[in-house]
Amino acid sequence: MRATRRGAAEWADAVGSVPVVSFTVTKLRWLAEHEPAAMARTAAVCLPHDWLMWQLAGGSDLDRLRTDRSDASGTGYWSPALGTYRPDLLRRACGREPAVPCVLGLAEPAGEVAAAGLAAGPLRPGPAAPRLGPGAGDNAAAALGLGVQAGDVVVSVGTSGTVFAVSATPTADATGTIAGFADATGRFLPLVCTLNAARVLEAVAAILGTDLDGLSQLALSARPGADGLVMLPYLEGERTPNRPDATGALHGLTGRNALPENLARAAVEGMLCGLADGLDAIRAAGIGVQRVLLIGGGARSEAVRRIAPTVFGVPVEVPQAAEYVADGAAMQAAWLLVDGEAPPDWTLTVTRRYESDPESAVHDRYAAVRDA
């Protein structure tokens, strides 16, 4: 156990994250161990968006592979703090050193769309070939589209959940809770991911024979704490905390509190408490939290909006529903067109602000059950 903790700390110091199965370095190690012939044939390793850019640029020489800081920081062999690859870690995973993409700067062009790339897609040749930008990971692009500033934390409630902030300094969390990624602006993007978010609401709505609006109404009709009913929402296992084999559970069920509205409330509170664990980890890393920006499909639920500030302990602002990942990509494209002189102005529209007194007992009961 002591060696495991030491190894995790070394990984965090080296690349800002402790690799889990979703990291490229982990997948490469699996390939080297289980399909060594495939690894021996591997000339280069890149991510899907890197491959797409390469294809659009003509898909010729491997030395023309390009990527960006945010996606490179999820590989497990590129250091956000140093801005360089760790070829020793790549060799440790692969047993050799395949080619990897060049990591581009903030608004550095990745080349131009080649005639072959144009012919393969909806674009058509014009007076000048379209330029290719560096791209970004989905959360980094969302942070760019939202215009996230110091003190902002984004909580995205999709099928799974993410909690992330923008930081001027890199993080290195040896517990593995925070992935110390890079963002799309030259800063850093500490991020916590949960596997269970909006899917929890969908599952409980199905149990109660209602839809998400009906679940929201039921949850808001119950008292905070659901009369002692606590849900651990680990329906698909969980990543934060790291319990891949866990299942969902209800605790504190009695004849008195066995009511539809309490089950609905427990589902919303349990899901938000899981995300609050991520928020607590961000705080523990020394990142100030002044407000939460709530986005994603689950943010459309009025119950999620109203209950969130009671669980998170800070005001929650819900921007106008939009595709913020696509907005970030558009902003990056605009930045590229002005040759990286300055990012264009981007005004975020906040539709509603939600404030409420914290209900610390809700998270305390959840934490007691989680740690039992």
Side-chain angles (χ1 to χ4, degrees), residues 73-121:
S73 64
T75 61
Y77 45 82
W78 186 83
S79 167
L82 299 177
T84 58
Y85 280 111
R86 286 290 304 266
D88 57 320
L89 298 179
L90 183 62
R91 288 193 299 271
R92 182 180 295 183
C94 301
R96 48 193 293 273
E97 194 175 331
V100 289
C102 173
V103 181
L104 298 176
L106 311 181
E108 185 178 352
E112 295 180 344
V113 178
L118 288 167

Side-chain angles (χ1 to χ4, degrees), residues 39 129 146 149 235 278:
M39 175 56 74
L146 284 162
Q149 301 298 322
L235 305 188

Side-chain angles (χ1 to χ4, degrees), residues 1-11:
M1 183 65 70
R2 188 177 297 112
T4 299
R5 287 196 296 267
R6 185 171 63 251
E10 290 174 355
W11 274 105

Side-chain angles (χ1 to χ4, degrees), residues 7-8 11-12 15 17-26 75-77 176 239:
W11 274 105
V15 294
S17 303
V18 180
V20 292
V21 293
S22 60
F23 280 67
T24 313
V25 70
T26 315
T75 61
Y77 45 82
R239 177 172 171 177

Side-chain angles (χ1 to χ4, degrees), residues 19 45 58 117 131 151 166 169 183 242 252 329 344 360:
V45 176
R131 300 166 73 182
V166 168
T169 56
D183 83 336
N242 185 23
S360 57

Side-chain angles (χ1 to χ4, degrees), residues 275-338:
L275 293 167
D277 286 346
L279 196 61
D280 288 344
I282 294 290
R283 287 191 180 102
I287 300 168
V289 180
Q290 297 176 8
R291 67 168 180 170
V292 166
L293 294 170
L294 194 65
I295 63 171
R300 298 172 185 162
S301 164
E302 192 65 18
V304 171
R305 296 179 178 202
R306 293 188 179 279
I307 296 171
T310 72
V311 175
F312 296 158
V314 292
V316 169
E317 296 189 4
V318 183
Q320 181 178 359
E323 296 293 340
Y324 286 105
V325 176
D327 287 348
M331 185 175 179
Q332 188 186 66
W335 199 352
L336 182 68
L337 290 175
V338 295

Side-chain angles (χ1 to χ4, degrees), residues 65-362:
L65 283 167
R66 301 289 186 266
T67 192
D68 80 295
R69 296 174 70 254
S70 65
D71 263 348
S73 64
T75 61
Y77 45 82
W78 186 83
S79 167
L82 299 177
T84 58
Y85 280 111
R86 286 290 304 266
D88 57 320
L89 298 179
L90 183 62
R91 288 193 299 271
R92 182 180 295 183
C94 301
R96 48 193 293 273
E97 194 175 331
V100 289
C102 173
V103 181
L104 298 176
L106 311 181
E108 185 178 352
E112 295 180 344
V113 178
L118 288 167
L123 300 173
R124 292 293 179 266
R131 300 166 73 182
L132 291 168
D138 53 356
N139 292 298
L144 188 59
L146 284 162
V148 176
Q149 301 298 322
D152 295 340
V153 175
V154 179
V155 175
S156 178
V157 187
T159 303
S160 56
T162 53
V163 181
F164 57 90
V166 168
S167 172
T169 56
T171 56
D173 179 12
T175 71
T177 302
I178 298 175
F181 295 148
D183 83 336
T185 70
R187 296 175 292 179
F188 303 92
L189 195 82
L191 181 143
V192 179
C193 180
T194 68
L195 294 182
N196 300 279
R199 74 174 83 212
V200 177
L201 308 183
E202 294 166 354
V204 175
I207 291 172
L208 294 174
T210 187
D211 57 15
L212 292 177
D213 287 339
L215 181 82
S216 179
Q217 293 172 14
L218 283 168
L220 290 173
S221 71
R223 293 185 295 180
D227 284 340
L229 191 60
V230 177
M231 173 178 282
L232 289 184
Y234 306 155
L235 305 188
E236 306 293 334
E238 190 46 80
R239 177 172 171 177
T240 306
N242 185 23
R243 298 179 183 176
D245 299 320
T247 57
L250 280 174
H251 290 258
L253 183 64
T254 67
R256 179 179 56 82
N257 65 17
L259 299 170
E261 57 266 33
N262 284 330
L263 179 56
R265 182 89 185 199
V268 175
E269 290 179 342
M271 180 203 72
L272 289 171
C273 283
L275 293 167
D277 286 346
L279 196 61
D280 288 344
I282 294 290
R283 287 191 180 102
I287 300 168
V289 180
Q290 297 176 8
R291 67 168 180 170
V292 166
L293 294 170
L294 194 65
I295 63 171
R300 298 172 185 162
S301 164
E302 192 65 18
V304 171
R305 296 179 178 202
R306 293 188 179 279
I307 296 171
T310 72
V311 175
F312 296 158
V314 292
V316 169
E317 296 189 4
V318 183
Q320 181 178 359
E323 296 293 340
Y324 286 105
V325 176
D327 287 348
M331 185 175 179
Q332 188 186 66
W335 199 352
L336 182 68
L337 290 175
V338 295
D339 295 320
E341 291 181 4
D345 291 334
W346 205 263
T347 302
L348 176 65
T349 302
V350 176
T351 57
R352 291 289 300 273
R353 179 181 173 92
Y354 294 83
E355 296 184 69
S356 187
D357 292 334
E359 296 283 351
S360 57
V362 171

